[in-house]
Amino acid sequence: MQHRKIALVTGANKGIGFEVARQLAARGFHVLIGARDVKAGRAARDKISRDGSATFVQIDISDPESIARAADEVSGQCDHLDVLVNNAGILLEEDRGAVAITREIFEATLRTNTLGPWLVAKGFVPLLKKSDAPRIVNVSSGGGQLENGADGWAPAYCVSKTALNGVTAQLAAALPNFAVNSVCPGWVRTEMGGENATRSVQEGASGIVWLAAEAPQELSGKFVKDRKVIPW
Ligand SMILES: NC(=O)c1ccc[n+]([C@@H]2O[C@H](COP(=O)([O-])OP(=O)(O)OC[C@H]3O[C@@H](n4cnc5c(N)ncnc54)[C@H](OP(=O)(O)O)[C@@H]3O)[C@@H](O)[C@H]2O)c1
């Protein structure tokens, strides 16, 4: 494992995260399957291990202690980390109406979608610094774009992704040798995206995998969709 590229994907037990992990493993990465649920995480690891190299890491990104434990565990197993894909995220059912939503909905959404990726990045930066070409990919959403204002859909989720884009810009400034980018996967058929979404998980994962494995290392501090920089 010492000379192999290593990637950690959070929320890799299903949806876009699982597909990103599968595609990275198919490209020869050793993939750390991050999941909060042990059973689901091990099942995903087992599936990916049939054709690639993967281990399971329990990580609940809404819990700072869980993040710290995961970082310790991975540091004991790996001498470096090349890629962190901050994929895990939530879209709560009750997230409707900027005035109507409760403080609890707003806080829970930001804790997972914004604070979580920032804490995971902080926790894994020491290991990422041991890579020749470290990368952080924050899975954001077009819903967080401010260019055309907002349309009122899922306000806490959208604010959490706008703020995640801010986290991306700040981390890129703080980590000059890293490639740190936000990415929008498009509208993807997963539990979150629903069955009417226009993209398959393969299509949704492809832009994320490109940033994780192929994009120029100099591309940093940007918001990307379909391999192109888009406005914040
Ligand atoms: N689907 C879309 O159309 C779409 C569009 C734009 C952006 N995105 C973004 O893409 C990412 C993946 O979404 P998806 O569509 O694949 O959603 P999904 O099918 O609902 O999967 C979400 C993943 O995140 C995990 N997760 C949630 N909270 C977590 C926590 N506290 N700790 C660890 N893992 C946690 C889930 O784990 P459990 O199984 O344990 O719940 C699951 O693995 C999200 O960041 C989402 O905002 C999706």
Side-chain angles (χ1 to χ4, degrees):
M1 211 201 280
Q2 304 300 312
H3 302 295
R4 196 168 198 155
K5 287 256 182 194
I6 305 174
L8 167 63
V9 183
T10 64
N13 54 292
K14 69 180 182 197
I16 296 169
F18 176 80
E19 179 59 20
V20 168
R22 196 193 63 75
Q23 289 187 19
L24 288 174
R27 285 167 177 256
F29 276 78
H30 174 75
V31 184
L32 303 166
I33 305 292
R36 58 181 163 180
D37 183 87
V38 174
K39 208 170 152 197
R42 285 186 179 148
R45 174 209 54 200
D46 291 347
K47 271 192 222 159
I48 288 172
S49 297
R50 282 182 213 143
D51 301 307
S53 174
T55 44
F56 163 63
V57 182
Q58 186 175 21
I59 182 166
D60 179 341
I61 66 152
S62 68
D63 175 359
E65 285 176 16
S66 171
I67 294 170
R69 270 197 305 274
D72 273 358
E73 186 187 328
V74 173
S75 304
Q77 292 167 0
C78 305
D79 64 352
H80 70 284
L81 180 66
D82 298 287
V83 176
L84 164 63
V85 180
N86 267 318
N87 165 78
I90 54 168
L91 167 59
L92 297 174
E93 186 63 37
E94 306 85 344
D95 186 8
R96 292 194 189 137
V99 180
I101 56 169
T102 60
R103 193 194 72 197
E104 287 77 12
I105 296 299
F106 195 78
E107 280 184 357
T109 303
L110 266 80
R111 191 178 311 120
T112 297
N113 292 359
T114 310
L115 185 60
W118 177 64
L119 288 176
V120 177
K122 254 173 79 72
F124 283 89
V125 154
L127 213 47
L128 283 160
K129 280 189 169 164
K130 295 182 181 165
S131 167
D132 295 338
R135 293 173 183 228
I136 299 175
V137 183
N138 290 327
V139 182
S140 185
S141 166
Q145 253 179 325
L146 289 178
E147 201 200 10
N148 296 315
D151 63 6
W153 174 77
Y157 177 82
C158 291
V159 169
S160 75
K161 295 298 191 180
T162 306
L164 176 61
N165 288 346
V167 169
T168 294
Q170 294 297 336
L171 287 176
L175 298 165
N177 298 322
F178 282 49
V180 187
N181 292 291
S182 276
V183 59
C184 171
W187 188 22
V188 183
R189 290 187 293 278
T190 61
E191 205 167 299
M192 183 186 290
E195 61 189 24
N196 294 326
T198 48
R199 294 188 173 188
S200 66
V201 278
Q202 289 81 2
E203 289 166 326
S206 98
I208 300 169
V209 170
W210 180 74
L211 277 175
E214 263 182 49
Q217 186 69 19
E218 306 74 50
L219 179 73
S220 189
K222 303 293 185 200
F223 192 13
V224 176
K225 182 178 184 186
D226 297 333
R227 306 182 181 202
K228 293 191 182 74
V229 175
I230 60 171
W232 295 111

